[in-house]
Amino acid sequence: MRFTTYGGFLLLWLLFPPIIASQIPFLLPVIQDALEGQNEKQPSSKRELKGKFLHITDLHPDPFYKAHADADSESCHRHKGPAGYYGAEATDCDSPYTLVNATFDWVAQNLKHNIDFVIWTGDSARHDNDEKIPRSEGQVLDQNAYLANKMLDVFGTDSKEDPKHERGTPVVPTFGNNDILPHNIFRKGPNRWTKHFAALWRRFIPEEQRHQFEQGGWFFVEVIPNKLAVFSLNTMYFYGSNAAVDGCYDKHQPGFKHFEWLRIQLQFLRERGMKAIMSGHVPPARTEEKTGWDETCWQKYALWMQQYRDVVVGSVYGHMNIDHFFLQDFRNIDFKVMGGEGSGSDSDDDETDIDEEVGIMSGPDYLKSLRQIWSKYPEAPGGGSLTTQKKKKKGKRARQKFFKEVGGEWAERFSLSLVSASVVPNFYPSLRVVEYNISGLEDGSSTRQDDIPAPLLRHEEPDAATLWDSFVSVLVPWSLQDTLYDILSIPSNPIDILEKKKHKKHRKHKHKHKHKHPKKKKPHFHTPSPPSETSPPGPAYSPQTLSWIGYTQYYANLTLINNDDYEGKRKEKDGRDKLLKPKEFTYEVEYDTRDEDDAFGLAPFNDTLDEDRKKGKHHHHHPGGLLVRNMVQLAARIGKKSSSSASCSNLLPVEHHDDDSDNDDSVASLPPLVDTKLDTTDDLASSSSEIQDLSVNIQKHKKHKKHKKKKKKKHHHHHKKKGKINKTWLAFVSRAFVGTLDEEELWDEFG
């Protein structure tokens, strides 16, 4: 009945656009009611929340992998070599099914009952790295189907009352650049891949979104109904190496349509008081060494993250294999580039697209380019105790200047993207479990909007433009929307007709006697609405429900587990090489950002800080966790190259120092941005021996030389290694390669 009614509205609009446009204010309540009705199908969840989710990425299962095959030139498919039973660590070989099965078995035994949902960021088929065994469409689909079934086996339900596994742990998959054929090339939808995966992922994609998924390969899942949604972005339409599309500036391009869809959905989540996590395969990396996305797409993404910073909790990606993070700097937003003008990803000769994953060969240059960017981030002010009135005023001005540089007290100049290491053993197989704050959400049940905690609720009505866009997106097929607007020569938003008529005469008289200035060119797309001026910072910035507390990185030490004897020192009685049995497979903790003595120094999360500050209580510590401002300061510490910086202890609220009558409330109430226990001298190691206490024990995880990728080594004299280095930087790069670089390699590349 609802669809028939809207069909009539659409027909009237096509025949009499001016008349229908004039009636839009009266139609908005009807449209809104129908669109909200889409959410009625979301199943009610009574799961007990654990406050954790699993991020797993880049499994790359390879059915042709052979243990003890050549890992250097034959992709572990033939001949004799060092390939282990569970995989050849630190090589270009893909994952044997023994590794894939052992990983899912371990997750089922150790993580399954302790997580609330799974983010699975693609590349679920082997690489096309063997000319003798070229990939086929059937192989790609079979390997993806195998992993989809493994996900259902582990996270689905066995209940006969739930044959579709709809009450199991939510799993949110996404396309990887190797999940299609040829790799990297993903054409405008609907295409055969969106249709194939709509069938493969039918248990993961909400039923009401399956048609939309076939159009473009994107969707979202309310992993906590009415509270939190995870978006599966089809980053193939943003990927600079996808020659089948051309960025996100032209309205006919799928990347443009993807962002329009994302804008509409985020706006409705805002109105519903919900939050969102962005997930995708190719990350929006942007340095002098590497670029992941077309520049027009990166620009829109940064703008969307800025405008919806009250909604987006954070972003997670895969593809690059190295464990790291980066920040989107909103100061780099350029509307001209979004419109197809200026420089893009193809115009800068110094930048190269991430056409393949980052490995030991190319990783150091990329990480160094990140560090170069971070070295320019403003450091928190300090410099001794404020004992005189002059120093107090100087410290106050320094804090004000600092907060102005980072976007205010909560560093809202930036947004955060986390990139996890992969399961495929280009280094060591790795998994990540992220912990988030569930204060007030412990029962996990669906909650009416009136019951949503205050920090999550927005008391605003959807604007007419958003409702109209959603109305069209629901009723008009994607392929016909542009044609409809072009033929009728009307704006995509009919509200513009009313606004133009209303203000036409006013503008004419207003500028009649004034000097004509060149008009600013408006974007040819709808700019997302910013947060309300009265709304508090989102969970990415201030500690509250759904804020990220920290994460635990797990890894499997294949050097020890495979238990190889490639040198052939052990022989059978008949002279053949003795094959040793592998040890029990397991993942173990590589590092945990929540540990107080962790090298990143993010400190424990404190979700009572805001409430205590409102009551007049002040703390000597910061809220900790993965809040953007803490990650900005971590980046600044990593970028630091000398010990010239002063201590950050004076970021404490002014009340903690001597009385200062000149201090105003806006500065006095500011909490510290970094852990006051972290003096800059603690970030510096004075000798090479101190590197051994980083994220992993180098001797414990030292791999056989046969597994190492061939690379030119720099020759340094050992006496040059003495002196101070940035220990936080060394921990960052050691973790990036999942502990597969030994002490000498760390010094040679990064010391």
Side-chain angles (χ1 to χ4, degrees):
M1 182 66 180
R2 177 179 293 132
F3 183 83
T4 303
T5 302
Y6 284 172
F9 288 158
L10 179 60
L11 180 60
L12 289 174
W13 170 253
L14 293 175
L15 297 176
F16 309 104
I19 297 176
I20 298 302
S22 65
Q23 299 301 314
I24 285 295
F26 303 102
L27 298 179
L28 292 181
V30 181
I31 298 172
Q32 182 178 358
D33 176 69
L35 293 171
E36 290 178 348
Q38 293 179 0
N39 300 312
E40 295 174 359
K41 295 183 180 180
Q42 287 289 349
S44 175
S45 172
K46 296 296 182 182
R47 295 177 294 112
E48 179 184 355
L49 293 177
K50 304 296 184 180
K52 297 179 181 179
F53 69 84
L54 170 65
H55 180 203
I56 185 170
T57 190
D58 293 78
L59 284 92
H60 289 290
D62 184 358
F64 303 102
Y65 180 98
K66 292 184 178 180
H68 306 104
D70 184 5
D72 292 330
S73 59
E74 300 296 339
S75 304
C76 295
H77 290 167
R78 62 188 69 85
H79 303 320
K80 185 178 179 180
Y85 179 77
Y86 286 110
E89 70 273 22
T91 71
D92 289 328
C93 294
D94 285 329
S95 302
Y97 274 61
T98 51
L99 172 61
V100 172
N101 294 333
T103 294
F104 278 99
D105 289 343
W106 186 88
V107 168
Q109 296 172 11
N110 297 275
L111 299 180
K112 174 181 178 180
H113 300 293
N114 296 314
I115 59 174
D116 301 323
F117 54 92
V118 180
I119 299 179
W120 169 24
T121 50
D123 265 10
S124 303
R126 73 179 182 95
H127 290 92
D128 199 3
N129 55 7
D130 189 343
E131 294 181 355
K132 297 181 180 179
I133 312 177
R135 296 198 314 166
S136 66
E137 182 172 319
Q139 289 180 15
V140 172
L141 294 175
D142 286 346
Q143 291 154 27
N144 270 275
Y146 184 84
L147 291 188
N149 287 328
K150 296 295 290 186
M151 289 287 180
L152 287 173
D153 290 343
V154 174
F155 299 108
T157 56
D158 297 327
S159 173
K160 295 181 180 179
E161 299 178 358
D162 186 29
K164 295 184 178 180
H165 303 279
E166 291 178 344
R167 288 180 233 153
T169 302
V171 177
V172 186
T174 191
F175 281 109
N177 63 307
N178 287 288
D179 295 328
I180 51 180
L181 198 69
H183 78 290
N184 297 343
I185 306 302
F186 200 101
R187 303 184 184 281
K188 180 178 179 180
N191 57 51
R192 71 182 191 277
W193 295 106
T194 60
K195 294 177 180 179
H196 284 319
F197 279 86
L200 285 178
W201 294 344
R202 64 187 180 278
R203 302 274 181 87
F204 309 130
I205 303 171
E207 183 178 356
E208 63 273 15
Q209 295 188 60
R210 289 173 190 168
H211 176 71
Q212 176 64 57
F213 178 84
E214 289 189 13
Q215 303 300 306
W218 53 70
F219 68 101
F220 69 91
V221 177
E222 290 192 25
V223 292
I224 305 179
N226 298 323
K227 304 294 178 62
L228 178 65
V230 175
F231 281 75
S232 175
L233 304 178
N234 187 355
T235 57
M236 296 311 302
Y237 287 143
F238 312 150
Y239 193 22
S241 296
N242 183 5
V245 296
D246 188 17
C248 300
Y249 68 91
D250 186 281
K251 66 179 180 180
H252 300 289
Q253 289 296 323
F256 181 98
K257 299 177 186 296
H258 197 342
F259 275 106
E260 287 300 288
W261 171 84
L262 181 61
R263 176 182 61 82
I264 294 169
Q265 304 308 324
L266 288 176
Q267 182 64 30
F268 268 98
L269 290 189
R270 172 185 282 166
E271 308 307 338
R272 295 175 58 196
M274 291 184 61
K275 305 303 175 186
I277 294 174
M278 300 293 109
S279 70
H281 181 64
V282 180
R286 185 176 183 267
T287 72
E288 291 184 356
E289 291 295 328
K290 299 288 182 182
T291 59
W293 293 6
D294 180 275
E295 181 67 7
T296 60
C297 301
W298 186 94
Q299 289 288 338
K300 280 195 172 181
Y301 180 76
L303 177 61
W304 265 234
M305 295 303 99
Q306 180 189 46
Q307 300 298 81
Y308 290 111
R309 61 188 182 276
D310 58 323
V311 178
V312 178
V313 182
S315 304
V316 296
Y317 296 95
H319 179 67
M320 297 182 72
N321 295 332
I322 58 174
D323 172 2
H324 68 296
F325 72 94
F326 51 81
L327 298 139
Q328 286 73 228
D329 187 346
F330 300 150
R331 288 189 176 180
N332 293 327
I333 293 175
D334 187 340
F335 279 87
K336 289 185 178 180
V337 176
M338 288 184 222
E341 302 177 22
S343 61
S345 60
D346 295 330
S347 62
D348 193 338
D349 295 336
D350 295 331
E351 297 180 354
T352 56
D353 291 338
I354 303 177
D355 56 351
E356 293 298 337
E357 296 84 347
V358 174
I360 291 179
M361 292 291 288
S362 58
D365 290 338
Y366 167 67
L367 295 175
K368 290 175 184 177
S369 65
L370 270 181
R371 190 188 188 195
Q372 179 64 28
I373 294 173
W374 295 344
S375 68
K376 300 176 183 178
Y377 282 6
E379 289 191 54
S385 61
L386 304 179
T387 57
T388 67
Q389 189 74 8
K390 184 176 180 180
K391 286 187 177 181
K392 290 176 184 177
K393 291 182 178 180
K394 185 178 180 180
K396 173 184 173 182
R397 289 194 296 270
R399 283 190 296 273
Q400 289 175 330
K401 181 179 179 180
F402 173 74
F403 287 130
K404 183 178 180 180
E405 281 294 306
V406 299
E409 175 186 355
W410 304 106
E412 291 181 282
R413 167 185 159 185
F414 304 92
S415 66
L416 173 66
S417 293
L418 299 179
V419 183
S420 179
S422 56
V423 173
V424 65
N426 291 141
F427 307 113
Y428 284 129
S430 192
L431 305 168
R432 174 172 293 176
V433 174
V434 180
E435 182 176 357
Y436 63 99
N437 186 27
I438 57 172
S439 299
L441 301 178
E442 287 83 357
D443 61 353
S445 59
S446 296
T447 308
R448 293 182 298 107
Q449 188 179 27
D450 294 341
D451 296 329
I452 297 176
L456 297 178
L457 185 60
R458 284 270 146 40
H459 300 288
E460 300 172 0
E461 292 298 325
D463 59 86
T466 301
L467 288 170
W468 172 255
D469 288 338
S470 299
F471 175 61
V472 173
S473 66
V474 169
L475 295 179
V476 183
W478 178 22
S479 58
L480 298 179
Q481 290 175 20
D482 290 334
T483 304
L484 171 65
Y485 296 140
D486 291 340
I487 292 176
L488 298 178
S489 298
I490 57 175
S492 58
N493 178 8
I495 305 303
D496 294 343
I497 297 177
L498 302 178
E499 293 298 323
K500 288 181 179 180
K501 290 182 178 180
K502 182 177 179 181
H503 298 290
K504 186 175 181 180
K505 292 183 178 181
H506 175 70
R507 292 198 306 267
K508 182 178 180 180
H509 290 293
K510 183 178 179 180
H511 299 288
K512 186 174 182 180
H513 301 290
K514 289 186 177 181
H515 177 71
K516 292 184 178 180
H517 295 283
K519 294 182 179 180
K520 291 184 178 180
K521 188 176 181 180
K522 294 183 178 180
H524 66 293
F525 56 88
H526 292 303
T527 304
S529 301
S532 169
E533 294 181 359
T534 60
S535 63
Y541 299 91
S542 68
Q544 58 188 265
T545 305
L546 299 177
S547 293
W548 288 354
I549 295 174
Y551 64 84
T552 304
Q553 198 72 30
Y554 295 90
Y555 80 107
N557 188 338
L558 294 189
T559 302
L560 298 179
I561 296 172
N562 282 330
N563 195 27
D564 288 332
D565 183 33
Y566 175 64
E567 288 79 6
K569 296 179 180 179
R570 302 181 188 182
K571 302 287 185 179
E572 299 285 3
K573 292 182 179 180
D574 58 3
R576 293 180 301 172
D577 291 342
K578 184 176 182 179
L579 300 180
L580 303 180
K581 292 183 178 180
K583 297 181 179 180
E584 180 182 0
F585 184 89
T586 186
Y587 281 88
E588 54 187 298
V589 175
E590 181 191 359
Y591 67 95
D592 191 332
T593 63
R594 300 167 299 173
D595 292 342
E596 291 191 16
D597 58 349
D598 181 66
F600 282 174
L602 295 175
F605 181 80
N606 178 18
D607 63 346
T608 65
L609 183 73
D610 278 353
E611 183 178 351
D612 289 345
R613 287 176 58 209
K614 291 177 182 178
K615 296 179 180 179
K617 300 179 182 179
H618 296 280
H619 297 266
H620 288 263
H621 57 274
H622 67 90
L626 302 179
L627 298 180
V628 169
R629 68 182 191 177
N630 299 332
M631 300 304 289
V632 170
Q633 286 302 286
L634 172 59
R637 293 202 303 275
I638 292 173
K640 188 169 48 181
K641 295 187 179 180
S642 68
S643 59
S644 59
S645 301
S647 171
C648 299
S649 61
N650 289 311
L651 274 179
L652 289 170
V654 179
E655 287 89 342
H656 293 298
H657 304 297
D658 296 336
D659 292 336
D660 184 359
S661 58
D662 294 334
N663 289 335
D664 57 29
D665 294 338
S666 63
V667 178
S669 62
L670 296 179
L673 287 186
V674 294
D675 194 344
T676 56
K677 295 184 298 183
L678 293 175
D679 190 275
T680 53
T681 56
D682 293 333
D683 290 339
L684 302 173
S686 58
S687 67
S688 62
S689 62
E690 291 188 67
I691 296 182
Q692 296 181 3
D693 65 354
L694 294 176
S695 60
V696 294
N697 185 314
I698 298 298
Q699 295 301 320
K700 179 180 178 181
H701 303 302
K702 189 174 182 181
K703 60 186 181 302
H704 297 300
K705 295 293 182 181
K706 61 182 173 22
H707 286 321
K708 296 196 176 187
K709 295 183 178 181
K710 297 179 181 180
K711 58 192 285 294
K712 294 182 180 180
K713 286 191 175 183
K714 300 176 182 178
H715 299 283
H716 294 285
H717 298 290
H718 287 281
H719 69 273
K720 291 184 179 180
K721 296 179 182 178
K722 296 180 180 179
K724 293 185 176 181
I725 61 169
N726 187 329
K727 190 170 71 173
T728 308
W729 163 241
L730 264 294
F732 177 70
V733 295
S734 176
R735 293 172 177 184
F737 299 108
V738 200
T740 55
L741 297 184
D742 60 26
E743 178 183 345
E744 181 181 357
E745 290 171 315
L746 285 173
W747 275 105
D748 287 344
E749 287 289 355
F750 307 106

